[in-house]
Structure formats: structure tokens, C-alpha cells
Amino acid sequence: MNQAAPAPKENMGNPVPRIDARLKVTGQAGYSADLPTANMAYGALATSSIAKGSITAVRLEKARKVPGVLDIVSVGDMDGIDKPKFGNTGASSIAPLHDKAIFHDGQIIALVVAETFEAAEEAAALIRADYAEETPSAGFDSRGTEMEPAAGKSPLFKEDVKAGDFDAAYAAAAVKIDEKYSTPTQHHNPIELFSTTAVWQGDQLTVYEPSQNVTGWKAELARQLKIDPANVRIVSPYVGGAFGSKGPMTARTAIVAVAARSVGRPVRCVVSRIQAYGTQTYRAETRHRIRIGANQDGRITAFAHEGWEVTSRPDPYVVGGTSATGRMYDYGSVLTHVSLVHADRNTPGYMRSPPETPYVYALENAMDEMAVALGMDPVEFRRVNEPQKEPIGGKPFSSRSLVKCYDQAAEAFGWSKREAAVGSMRDGDWLVGMGCATAIYPTAAAPCAARVRLTTDGEVRVQCGSHEIGTGVRTVAAQMAAERLGIEMDKVSVEMGDSALPPAPVSGGSISTASVCSAVLKACDAVRAKLFAAAVAEAGPLAGSGNAKLEMSQEKIVADNGKSAKLSDVFKTMQIGAIEEYAEFAPKGSSPEALKKLYAGQSEFHGGDQDKDSVKYAFGAEFVEVRINSHTREIRVPRIVGAFAAGRIMNTRTARSQLMGGMIWGIGQALHEATEIDKRHARYVNRDLQDYLVPVNADVKQLEVILVPEIDHEVNPAGVKGLGELGNVGTAAAVASAVYHATGKRIRDLPIRIDHLIV
Amino acid sequence: MSETPLASLSRRSFMTGSVSAAAAGPLMATSAKAAAPQPAASAEPRDLSAISLRINKQPYNLALDNRTSLLDALRDHVGLTGTKKGCDHGQCGACTVLVDGKRVLSCLSFAVMNKGHEITTVEGLASADGNLHPMQQAFIDNDAFQCGYCTPGQIMSAIGCINEGHAGSEGDIREYMSGNLCRCAAYPNIVAAIMQAQDETRKA
């Protein structure tokens, strides 16, 4: 065992290597734009050079003259096609080639199709448009934006949570803070480029595109193209990073399908890195005002969190993280309010830990400020305010191991060695600071179907239309089947990433492991039931063991009376070669239509704060050491420790890797990532991987992930909480806290850069 | 410009300058101009060139648009899609291949510049009997990837890094592997994999 494969503790599965590892290290894993198709033509996009106004003419003449150009689909060429919708599956209601209206910079104005990639790119670069241009509003502080309350504008954000009388409690509080925080615009920037490959065979359309939601896209694409969903198939076997960016379907998918139908050939359009900034979703910038009031003993009596988020003109995209921040601690009274600010921008979308990344950053930075104001140790301050029940609805937590996480992370980090006084831990030229913060993410699951086949020779095939985006979901689904059916991992294969498979929900919101494993578990149990019934039947090899408890192990059915039967012998008595079971899982408390909606491509999440009996969240604690050069103010993070509890851990290897990746994302949130906007033109400026900074290898040194054992039978049958997003939450606040500890400077606007620290 | 040896030209300078020796002569007519053979001195960038490439010890004879990058040649014309496109600008490292044992960003290299050189891609690392290269095995052992998209580039770069003598310490590895972005952020595991595989890689 090495560091990447931690020994499992209680309620944790083995660190089995990824079942697709060999494919990934040999270049054989087929990502969407790798899949071969015959007679392919190449697509390239042209995009708008203004952010607001309308197109008066698109000039295609020069582009058409480029040798090899086959067709150009442009504004007005989407007759007979329905417009995209904003919502469960669609990224935006903006319909770029239907309308002449321009809603944002970088909006698609044409798709060139050519014989070669080079010709398509050359032609697309020659396309110009004439515009009736208006002055755009870029975002916060721009003239012409429209603000509205967010509550009720999105099914994902129903209300501004509150409890008690905040105003009175805050007025009476002995110690209080009132501060503002902000987080910048960010783009997911998965390393795999966005792409669409559309292949028509008669009236059957196959689309190869990296997707976190093949079933949803199938339904939405069929709706836009006005064809039977049965004739549409979305294929996305491997996804080269997603982080939310490949969840919502964008307008491009239907445009490429229309172009492919028009030229009568398969068309592949790989979107350039630059164009992705305007044609995909992103995390919009947010602002926060937080007020906390407490008694001298450190008990919080009043908490208010106001948030502002930017969205596009037409679509009310909202993350609204106050549902989680309002339930984090034992506040006494809570007041929250979220506002949307509509600007001339593309519609934002979910990005890793969508509500919690910005909102918990603000909360936890404020908690650190409050601890300073109280003269308390920040860990102790959180411990004092640990709730028995969440403050909004007075419900218990299904499980909450936050204090254990703090204890274990603090010990591993050496928190006791921290000297509390600001600026007291200097090491030569380096100012040393230590900080901490809480991570929280709601635990949800969604309806999911799976098919499991077991053959007489012990081969297992699992099929589920979920998505391998790097989480290891194929591996944990295989582990679940192997464990339940008593088969070695190397005899289990898993098919995912195809809308022809049993439907699964969107792979977002840390729901995949819980949803997929619960469905696989159910299908496996149905297989077991058939085998067990046959084994103990009169003619079966375990006849007479009807009252015994049966298990499956090493390709045998084992009874607790000491008898066992080979799997192949049970099949022999059944006179069949395979058992195949199809199972549907719906989380407890789902709506009666939840499963029907699954087949229509609509994922109904259930969990978090939705249940009557308890609220469901995963927790963690992160500790960070920063070092700031006293001359250059260069900021380094030499050490980071996170402890997390998230119910059953299916695989300690993949779990650790996801949490590690999340923590490093958190370092990026704290110190690197920001999409800069030219406010005059409402245009993203740093649209590439050179100027949009993400953490690189040299930004990470010592990193430790501690998996804290936790058992939670309430969350779902698999007992899994999910942790893909958890590691990313809180990190930035821990860094900000450490920067304060080192320098005495409280940086409230992310990212924290050298220029913030120059006196 | 016309005297500059082709192999030392970057794709950027090619795109902005005119290169006399760029084309070995158009083979297939894709434009009206190209229908009549052009003297090499005035070759159009979009003309096709006949080139032979040696990739993973196999010869390939190709007719490529002069603007075709080595990356697109590998992916779209040779069918070796293990090498990935992440930015097409030399900023992410996903397209890293070895050219004569040295790591090269294949998106910043024209295919035509690679004539006569030995190109190695991720598909060329495992032995014919299926045994993985030590670096590939180390990436599996240390879970040095999640989505796997940057992985071929990381593995090729890791081998290049060792060949250069820049894998002496974890600090060196972190520094010299920082041109290969991993958005899943498997960095500590990548460093561990390179530490594990470096001795065997030197022998391989």
C-alpha cells in the first residue's frame, strides 16, 4: 500500500485500482473526440465580437471561398428547430442561430463545416458580422443591470432561509462583525476540450460529446430537433474532466446536428479553448455581506448572510448557498437573502461545489474574523457553536462528524504548535500563517436504473447510463457488484456513458456514487434472490437449507449452516446461462413522478435539507499553512491537511484522490483562479490556460487526506454521502485565515494575490 | 526566414511568416491554385505535402495540409488518439510526445517539421506483449490520474523529465512537470509515480 491507497478503516471499501486504469495509461480510453467515424467533416465556430445588440448581417462570402468549405450554418438557418431551454438540462435559453439578438460576447454566430480542420478554422476566422451595437452591462457595478430576489426564480432555490429574530439578537450581541466578501468569475477549464460529433444514419442520430447527463441530453436534443427521442443516442464513454461544465447541454449540440444533416456527413466540432469561455457555462462572480453577533463566551446569537450573484439577461441561474450556510452552526437567529443581478453575459452554470464554494468561503472567512474579534481559537469557536439540531427547521443531522474531523485534522496538522498572535511565526524571510475552515456539502441522491447480468462462468456485466468523469464511479459500481455477488473484480465489467443504457441522473452534486451504487445494489440483490431461491429449492444443491442465511462469496453460495454450492451448479439446476436483472432506485421521499422523470431525462435530486426527519450533509475540516515571502509577498501553500467524513467510503483510493483534487481546487480558488472581464465590452480577457491561472504541480507540496469513519444508514441504501465536491469547500477560507495569521491582512476578495499583500 | 532550417521553426513563426522550404510540393488538389503544381518557393500554407513520419517505430506516409500540427496528424490522420488536445496553444501539456527522446508539445510542431525524427506517443510505450512501461504501471499504482485526459501527456512528459535529468528530487519533479496541467489535480500522485518509476525508466 502506498499513500494513494489508504488502508480502509471502519465502513470503508478497499483501495481497488480503477478498472479503467490500464486504458487510461495506454491511451486506449476513448473520449468523445477520439472515437473514429468514417467520412468525417470538421466544424469550427465563429462567435460575436460584441456583447449586446443585434446582428444586421453576417458576412460569409470570404469564408465560403476557402477551399474545402462544405457548408456554413448561420443566423436564420435553424428553421424547424426548437429553441434551447434553460433549466434541468439546458444551459441557456439563448438561441444563437435562431435570433439576431446578441446577449453576450462570444455568442455563436456561425458554424463552418469543411473537409479539414485547417480549412474550417481558416474559414471561421474570416467570418464577420455587422451589428447594431448597444452598451453592455458587464456585471456588478455596471450601469443597466437588473437586480431581483433569487428566491423562487429557480427550482433549485426556493426560499431565503431564516430563523428567530436576527435584528433583535444582532442589536443585543456583545461582539459583532459586519463584513463584505467576494468571489470572482471562474471557468471550469477541464483539460478535455468541448466537442460535438454528430452522425446521422437515416433518421437515427448519434452524438458523441463529453457529457455528464446523456439521458437528459437525449431528451433535450430530440425536443430541439423535433424528432423521436428513440432516434437519438448520446455517447460519452470517458469524460476528460467536467466539474459541472459538461452537465448542461449548450446550443452547439443541436447546431452541429443540423449541420451534419445538411452536409449529409458526420461532423465533428471541437471548440477552441478561447471560444469555450463564451459558449459554455461558468461560475459567476458573487458578493456577500455577513453579519455575526455573539456573546462574550463565543456563542453565536445572530447570523445574517446576504448574497448577490451575476447571471445572464434572460436566465435566472442561481446557486444560493445560504441553505447550507444558514444551517452550519448553532446560530440562535438566522437571516438570509440572495439577489440575482442580470447582466449582458452568457448564462452561468454549476461548477464544482456550486453553492458552497462561494458561500461557505464567505461564511468561514467571517467565522475566522469573529474568532479573532472574540479572542478565541478558531477551532474552539466552531466547537462552541456545534449544533445538536440545524437552526432553520430544528431537524437533526442524519450524521455530523465535524468535530471528529477537526480533532483528527488538527492533530495531524500540528495545530497545537500554532502561536496565536498574528505575524508571530516567522521563518527567515518567510512569514508563516496557519488557518482552518469547515467543509460542508449536502448529501443527495437521485433516481437511477441499472442492469446487472451474471453468467454461469461468474462473469458480471453492469450497465448504467452514468458517466465516468474521473470520479471512479465505474470502479465503485464494479466493487458494489463484486462484493454483492461474491465475484472477483477482474470478472466485472461496467458500461457507462451511453444513453442507450439504463438511465442515470446527471453526474453532478456528488450524487453519483450514492445513486448508482444503490441501483446496482438493488439489481444485484434481485440476482441473488433468484439464485438463492433456486439453490434451496427441492432440486437445488442447497436443498434443505431454506432457513439458513445465505451469502455469495468466491463464486459460491454459502449458507451459515456450513453448506455451500458452486455458482455454476446453481445455474445448472436452473438450466439457464445467465441471470439479468434491471433495477430502479429512487431515494426515500422522492416524488411519485421521480422515476418517470428519470426516463424523460430529468434528474430529481433528493436529500440535503429536503427531508422531514433529518437534514443530510457531509462535513470536513481543512488546515492550511501558508508562507509569504517578506520581500516579494509570494504566497505559497507548503502544507494542507483535510479530514472528511462522508458515510460509507466505497474505495479509499478513489475517495482520497477526489478529496485531494478538491483541496487543490480550493488552493486554486484561494490564490489563482479568476476570469478577468473587460467591463467596457463585457468580454472575458484571459481566455486561455496561460492567463487563466490554475494550480500546477509546483503549487502543491505536502497534502494529507484523512478519511474519518462514519456510518449513516439514513442517507440511502448504499450509505454513501458522496465527496466529489466536499474537498473544494472551505479551503479558500482556510487559506485566507492563514494569510491573516501570517500578515495581519484580512483579504476578503478572492483570489488572494501578491498585490493584496504589498503595503 | 527562407534560410532558417525547417526543423527549428515554431508553428507560430510559420503562421506569420512565409516559408520557402515548407512544402515538398502539392500532391492533391484542394484549391484552384494547387491544381497546377507550384514551385516550392511560393507554396501555399494550405497545400498538401507528402511526408513520411516514423511513429512508434512504424513508418507512415501521409499527405498533409502544411498547417497540420503534429498533434492533429497523430489524431486525425494516423488514428493515434491517445495524444490529447487540451488547448492547441502549448499551454496545457496534454499533447506531449517524445521526439528523439525529448518531450515536445505536438500542438506547437508542424507535422512536416518532424520528418526524419523518431516520434513516440503513449501508444508506443507498452511492449508488444502488453507489458506496461514502468511509468505507466507507476501511474496506476499511485492513482496518478482521475479523468485520465491529461495522462498520456503527463506520462510522456514524465519520461522526458527523467531523460533530461530533472527528476532528482520531488521538488525538481514538481517544477519540471509544471507544464503539464492536471485539472483533476492528481499532482502529489504524479510526483509519487515519477519517484517510483525513475530508476526503471532510466533502464527501459
Side-chain angles (χ1 to χ4, degrees):
Chain A
M1 295 244 176
N2 56 27
Q3 206 183 6
K9 303 174 199 162
E10 188 189 10
N11 200 29
M12 295 183 192
N14 287 322
V16 175
R18 293 165 196 269
I19 59 170
D20 38 28
R22 189 184 169 95
L23 294 176
K24 288 184 174 180
V25 300
T26 55
Q28 303 304 312
Y31 300 80
S32 299
D34 297 342
L35 302 174
T37 177
N39 196 29
M40 194 169 72
Y42 293 81
L45 297 174
T47 57
S48 72
S49 60
I50 68 159
K52 188 181 189 184
S54 60
I55 295 173
T56 53
V58 186
R59 308 209 168 275
L60 304 174
E61 305 78 14
K62 282 186 185 166
R64 285 197 198 285
K65 283 187 189 141
V66 172
V69 168
L70 299 167
D71 196 8
I72 301 176
V73 180
S74 186
V75 179
D77 292 338
M78 295 295 277
D79 281 353
I81 307 296
D82 274 350
K83 290 183 179 181
K85 269 187 191 167
F86 167 72
N88 203 316
T89 313
S92 173
S93 64
I94 295 166
L97 301 189
H98 285 85
D99 292 332
K100 292 188 170 174
I102 297 290
F103 288 94
H104 60 88
D105 183 67
Q107 182 175 318
I108 297 172
I109 59 170
L111 171 73
V112 176
V113 179
E115 290 285 354
T116 64
F117 170 69
E118 291 78 16
E121 291 272 295
E122 181 186 357
L126 294 170
I127 292 175
R128 295 286 182 277
D130 297 334
Y131 304 97
E133 189 176 359
E134 297 170 44
T135 306
S137 311
F140 293 137
D141 304 331
S142 299
R143 290 173 63 176
T145 58
E146 298 158 281
M147 190 160 83
E148 62 174 348
K153 295 294 183 306
S154 155
L156 298 175
F157 189 72
K158 294 193 174 98
E159 57 172 351
D160 289 321
V161 295
K162 58 181 181 187
D165 185 348
F166 168 79
D167 289 332
Y170 187 68
V175 180
K176 51 184 106 176
I177 61 158
D178 180 352
E179 295 294 350
K180 294 192 170 90
Y181 306 87
S182 74
T183 64
T185 315
Q186 295 173 335
H187 281 76
H188 312 76
N189 278 307
I191 302 300
E192 180 190 26
L193 292 170
F194 300 98
S195 71
T196 306
T197 304
V199 184
W200 290 89
Q201 286 166 300
D203 59 359
Q204 306 280 314
L205 171 64
T206 304
V207 168
Y208 303 90
E209 179 166 343
S211 172
Q212 294 170 262
N213 189 9
V214 290
T215 306
W217 290 21
K218 168 184 155 168
E220 174 61 12
L221 184 58
R223 185 193 67 75
Q224 288 182 30
L225 297 174
K226 298 201 219 183
I227 59 177
D228 185 345
N231 291 342
V232 177
R233 183 176 163 206
I234 310 286
V235 182
S236 179
Y238 289 94
V239 180
F243 317 111
S245 66
K246 293 158 182 172
M249 196 180 93
T250 67
R252 181 189 68 250
T253 309
I255 293 169
V256 176
V258 165
R261 191 159 57 184
S262 166
V263 298
R265 286 170 64 172
V267 172
R268 172 165 294 160
C269 173
V270 178
V271 181
S272 73
R273 179 63 60 182
I274 288 172
Q275 288 176 332
Y277 280 72
T279 60
Q280 296 291 141
T281 60
Y282 62 100
R283 193 201 302 282
E285 58 271 37
T286 68
R287 286 183 174 176
H288 307 262
R289 179 191 182 195
I290 291 194
R291 284 171 286 169
I292 303 178
N295 297 331
Q296 291 288 7
D297 64 2
R299 290 193 60 88
I300 298 172
T301 55
F303 170 68
H305 192 165
E306 293 159 84
W308 292 264
E309 306 173 13
V310 164
T311 186
S312 66
R313 250 345 141 170
D315 301 322
Y317 181 79
V318 52
V319 293
T322 45
S323 169
T325 60
R327 289 179 168 87
M328 182 85 103
Y329 300 110
D330 193 9
Y331 298 118
S333 64
V334 177
L335 183 71
T336 67
H337 187 70
V338 177
S339 300
L340 281 181
V341 174
H342 292 270
D344 299 305
R345 297 268 299 281
N346 47 326
T347 303
Y350 41 90
M351 178 165 159
R352 198 170 195 175
S353 342
E356 283 68 24
T357 293
Y359 280 77
V360 174
Y361 158 70
L363 165 63
E364 289 298 292
N365 207 345
M367 286 294 285
D368 196 68
E369 297 207 55
M370 196 64 193
V372 171
L374 286 158
M376 280 179 84
D377 176 85
V379 177
E380 183 60 21
F381 179 48
R382 285 164 174 101
R383 200 187 307 274
V384 163
N385 289 288
E386 179 69 6
Q388 295 303 309
K389 292 181 172 179
E390 55 90 16
I392 305 299
K395 292 182 243 179
F397 293 84
S398 66
S399 57
R400 178 176 168 120
S401 307
L402 178 59
V403 172
K404 272 189 205 158
C405 291
Y406 265 109
D407 288 345
Q408 295 191 21
E411 194 187 337
F413 182 80
W415 182 252
S416 59
K417 297 190 192 86
R418 175 182 183 261
E419 292 166 37
V422 164
S424 60
M425 297 188 73
R426 199 176 167 127
D427 179 8
D429 282 345
W430 294 89
L431 310 173
V432 178
M434 295 181 180
C436 64
T438 303
I440 179 174
Y441 201 80
T443 298
C448 183
R451 188 186 291 122
V452 172
R453 186 174 73 179
L454 172 66
T455 56
T456 179
D457 55 1
E459 299 276 345
V460 177
R461 186 186 67 186
V462 177
Q463 294 178 308
C464 177
S466 188
H467 319 83
E468 180 52 85
I469 57 177
T471 55
V473 67
R474 291 177 82 239
T475 304
V476 298
Q479 274 181 283
M480 178 56 88
E483 188 183 303
R484 258 345 245 173
L485 299 176
I487 303 290
E488 289 300 312
M489 276 290 281
D490 60 4
K491 295 184 88 171
V492 183
S493 63
V494 179
E495 293 173 20
M496 284 188 179
D498 188 333
S499 65
L501 297 170
V506 58
S507 291
S510 295
I511 63 162
S512 286
T513 298
S515 310
V516 169
C517 287
S518 294
V520 171
L521 174 67
K522 203 169 164 182
C524 289
D525 284 352
V527 173
R528 283 159 60 105
K530 279 196 177 161
L531 285 167
F532 290 173
V536 300
E538 228 170 276
L542 295 178
S545 296
N547 293 326
K549 191 170 181 299
L550 302 176
E551 257 311 325
M552 293 183 74
S553 168
Q554 297 179 318
E555 298 188 30
K556 283 186 208 133
I557 295 173
V558 183
D560 65 355
N561 60 12
K563 292 183 182 171
S564 71
K566 277 204 246 168
L567 199 57
S568 52
D569 290 338
V570 183
F571 272 103
K572 210 177 279 171
T573 55
M574 296 171 84
Q575 297 185 11
I576 57 172
I579 298 177
E580 186 167 271
E581 288 293 332
Y582 186 97
E584 292 172 332
F585 158 76
K588 205 175 86 184
S590 295
S591 78
E593 304 82 34
L595 277 166
K596 189 179 164 194
K597 282 160 74 178
L598 169 66
Y599 290 87
Q602 292 165 18
S603 306
E604 187 185 289
F605 283 31
H606 196 84
D609 58 22
Q610 288 169 298
D611 280 333
K612 287 201 180 81
D613 49 347
S614 64
V615 293
K616 297 165 176 70
Y617 290 92
F619 290 91
E622 296 190 32
F623 288 75
V624 169
E625 177 184 320
V626 301
R627 286 180 172 239
I628 295 156
N629 188 283
S630 58
H631 303 294
T632 65
R633 303 283 151 174
E634 175 188 357
I635 312 166
R636 308 296 298 170
V637 178
R639 242 162 27 98
I640 177 167
V641 176
F644 306 92
R648 173 155 179 84
I649 301 300
M650 289 296 299
N651 179 325
T652 54
R653 175 194 298 259
T654 56
R656 174 186 172 272
S657 278
Q658 266 199 292
L659 289 163
M660 177 181 80
M663 288 161 72
I664 297 170
W665 260 60
I667 294 172
Q669 304 286 324
L671 302 177
H672 308 127
E673 292 192 38
T675 311
E676 308 291 348
I677 299 170
D678 179 344
K679 293 220 161 193
R680 297 163 303 172
H681 303 291
R683 178 178 300 151
Y684 303 127
V685 180
N686 51 339
R687 297 174 294 182
D688 59 40
L689 289 171
Q690 175 175 288
D691 293 325
Y692 183 96
L693 305 182
V694 298
V696 302
N697 209 319
D699 291 314
V700 187
K701 285 185 183 158
Q702 245 181 287
L703 183 147
E704 186 179 354
V705 176
I706 300 166
L707 298 169
V708 176
E710 183 181 71
I711 297 172
D712 189 332
H713 295 300
E714 272 187 63
V715 281
N716 50 62
V720 164
K721 278 187 172 176
L723 39 68
E725 324 218 27
L726 186 61
N728 182 35
V729 181
T731 325
V735 173
S737 148
V739 167
Y740 173 79
H741 181 231
T743 65
K745 282 182 180 290
R746 177 67 62 180
I747 311 301
R748 301 184 179 92
D749 304 312
L750 292 181
I752 302 167
R753 297 250 175 98
I754 290 173
D755 48 300
H756 288 111
L757 301 179
I758 293 172
V759 181
Chain B
M1 205 66 170
S2 59
E3 274 93 33
T4 313
L6 187 60
S8 70
L9 286 177
S10 75
R11 182 174 164 206
R12 281 202 184 99
S13 64
F14 184 90
M15 295 303 263
T16 51
S18 65
V19 180
S20 61
L27 279 189
M28 286 166 54
T30 56
S31 70
K33 271 188 186 170
Q38 298 290 304
S42 65
E44 287 280 318
R46 57 169 77 122
D47 288 344
L48 296 189
S49 290
I51 62 162
S52 303
L53 293 178
R54 255 184 88 73
I55 306 164
N56 301 331
K57 300 185 178 144
Q58 298 290 317
Y60 292 86
N61 295 315
L62 303 165
L64 297 176
D65 188 308
N66 284 326
R67 299 166 296 181
T68 303
S69 65
L70 176 58
L71 171 61
D72 288 331
L74 290 169
R75 291 181 52 81
D76 293 342
H77 300 273
V78 180
L80 293 173
T81 55
T83 307
K84 301 298 188 226
K85 186 183 281 193
C87 68
D88 224 9
H89 281 60
Q91 298 169 344
C92 76
C95 67
T96 307
V97 298
L98 298 180
V99 176
D100 301 329
K102 294 201 173 97
R103 44 183 174 169
V104 162
L105 296 169
S106 63
C107 76
L108 290 188
S109 174
F110 286 111
V112 294
M113 293 158 61
N114 289 279
K115 198 178 162 187
H117 297 279
E118 190 65 51
I119 299 157
T120 309
T121 72
V122 72
E123 291 94 339
L125 291 181
S127 62
D129 60 8
N131 283 333
L132 294 178
H133 185 281
M135 190 61 74
Q136 292 174 311
Q137 188 59 50
F139 265 61
I140 295 178
D141 295 344
N142 292 279
D143 207 39
F145 52 87
Q146 293 177 41
C147 79
Y149 195 80
C150 72
T151 311
Q154 299 278 2
I155 289 173
M156 301 316 288
S157 197
I159 295 168
C161 181
I162 290 168
N163 291 347
E164 290 159 17
H166 285 145
S169 68
E170 291 192 359
D172 272 2
I173 292 169
R174 281 194 285 265
E175 200 63 37
Y176 285 94
M177 287 298 291
S178 280
N180 288 79
L181 303 182
C182 172
R183 192 58 163 146
C184 301
Y187 297 126
N189 294 0
I190 292 168
V191 174
I194 298 173
M195 289 300 283
Q196 176 184 316
Q198 57 177 320
D199 289 345
E200 278 188 86
T201 297
R202 283 193 201 99
K203 286 180 224 147

